[in-house]
């Protein structure tokens, strides 16, 4: 760990244990603040939606000398003399066909953040008008699109906690993108904003962006985490477009189309969702979600 003034800071990028040897008291300070971010969801295959960001949960005691995200609570963990196991979730995979896989939960004490939802995908073998929706998670995965099939983005904040740990993924739009071909995939949800929906109608070849994550200085430097993955572009109108940017906080970009491009993976130790996979000359996989992180901060004197 590191020491900043009266505070100790411990960052975990893998499993570990926080050992408390003296708990303090309420007349001084016996609270532990935390940032717990789960692994991001993988992006979907072929016109894929972006993966949802891993759940983002944070506390900051009133008057503590750092800046928290807008979804932080002021209720920290009351310290006890014991070891606190730390679990850091891995990012969800992006398989060669189908929906992205949800990220893995992260946890500290009584706080569990849920893995991000996988991005929606074209449904292999079911024809060009069938897609799979985004999957629910800490933040929800974005939906995939097809000319005659409209799907919802995956629900965020699943399972529900307060304050919310993430937002819904973007939904797909109705109709073709003129004169034929599917619309892009939608953006995955982020910690502080929903994924952007697929735009309807002609001129919609570019992929939507992922939802924004949250930024905190709990580590004593600005740390942005839990951005949603960008939706894949599609071979619409002029023949293709650019994939959607990942949400601020480690979200991976969606793939460009046409070509053989895959979605970009979410950034390691941010819980960012993976970008959706493109289509065109072939159907392509999305990017894997980024692994999570746990940061602990407490006043020791």
């Amino acid at each position: 760990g590191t020491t900043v003034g009266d505070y100790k800071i411990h960052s975990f990028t893998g499993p570990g244990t926080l050992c408390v040897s003296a708990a303090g008291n309420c007349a001084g300070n016996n609270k532990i603040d935390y940032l717990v971010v789960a692994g991001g969801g993988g992006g979907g295959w072929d016109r894929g939606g972006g993966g949802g960001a891993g759940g983002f949960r944070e506390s900051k005691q009133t008057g503590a000398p750092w800046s928290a995200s807008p979804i932080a609570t002021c209720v920290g963990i009351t310290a006890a003399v014991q070891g606190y196991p730390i679990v850091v979730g891995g990012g969800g995979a992006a398989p060669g066909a189908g929906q992205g896989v949800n990220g893995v939960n992260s946890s500290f004490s009584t706080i569990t953040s849920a893995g991000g939802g996988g991005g929606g995908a074209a449904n292999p073998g079911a024809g060009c008008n069938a897609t799979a929706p985004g999957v629910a998670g800490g933040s929800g995965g974005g939906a995939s699109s097809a000319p005659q099939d409209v799907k919802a983005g995956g629900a965020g904040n699943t399972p529900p906690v307060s304050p919310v740990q993430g937002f819904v993924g973007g939904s797909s739009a109705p109709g073709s993108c003129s004169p034929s071909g599917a619309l892009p995939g939608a953006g995955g949800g982020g910690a502080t904003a929903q994924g952007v929906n697929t735009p309807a109608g002609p001129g919609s070849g570019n992929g939507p962006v992922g939802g924004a994550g949250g930024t905190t200085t709990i580590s004593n430097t600005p740390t942005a985490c839990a951005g949603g993955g960008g939706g894949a572009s599609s071979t619409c109108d002029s023949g293709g477009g650019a994939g959607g940017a990942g949400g601020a906080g480690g979200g991976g970009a969606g793939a460009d189309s046409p070509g053989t491009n895959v979605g970009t993976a979410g950034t390691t130790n941010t819980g960012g969702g993976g970008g959706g996979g493109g289509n065109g000359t072939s159907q392509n996989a999305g990017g894997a979600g980024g692994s999570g992180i746990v940061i602990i901060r407490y006043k020791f004197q």
Side-chain angles (χ1 to χ4, degrees):
T2 59
T3 301
V4 178
D6 293 337
Y7 288 83
K8 295 280 191 182
I9 303 169
H10 301 274
S11 295
F12 295 84
T13 57
T17 303
L18 176 72
C19 296
V20 177
S21 57
N25 60 74
C26 60
N29 192 300
N30 63 346
K31 299 294 184 182
I32 302 172
D33 281 318
Y34 57 82
L35 172 69
V36 180
V37 180
W45 176 82
D46 183 18
R47 310 188 298 272
F56 180 109
R57 302 186 66 186
E58 181 185 13
S59 74
K60 174 183 176 291
Q61 299 300 302
T62 301
W66 70 87
S67 299
S69 70
I71 57 174
T73 175
C74 62
V75 180
I77 300 297
T78 300
V81 177
Q82 64 177 74
Y84 290 89
I86 306 289
V87 176
V88 177
Q99 292 164 299
V101 176
N102 280 30
V104 180
N105 295 355
S106 292
S107 62
F108 159 65
S109 186
T110 58
I111 303 301
T112 298
S113 296
N123 191 351
C128 65
N129 291 334
T131 56
V135 185
S139 287
S144 181
S145 292
Q148 305 301 323
D149 190 39
V150 179
K151 288 294 195 300
N157 196 35
T158 302
V161 293
S162 181
V164 299
Q165 59 180 313
F167 282 75
V168 65
S171 297
S172 59
S176 172
C177 59
S178 175
S180 63
L183 294 164
T192 62
Q194 71 179 48
V196 175
N197 296 338
T198 297
S204 303
N206 292 336
V209 302
T215 299
T216 173
T217 60
I218 189 171
S219 65
N220 209 47
T221 58
T223 301
C225 295
S233 64
S234 181
T235 50
C236 287
D237 299 326
S238 61
D256 298 340
S257 293
T260 57
N261 297 318
V262 299
T264 302
T267 303
T268 301
N269 298 131
T270 68
N279 74 342
T281 58
S282 64
Q283 290 75 42
N284 302 301
S291 56
I293 191 167
V294 175
I295 301 175
I296 306 300
R297 182 166 179 159
Y298 56 91
K299 192 173 185 179
F300 72 97
Q301 65 179 12

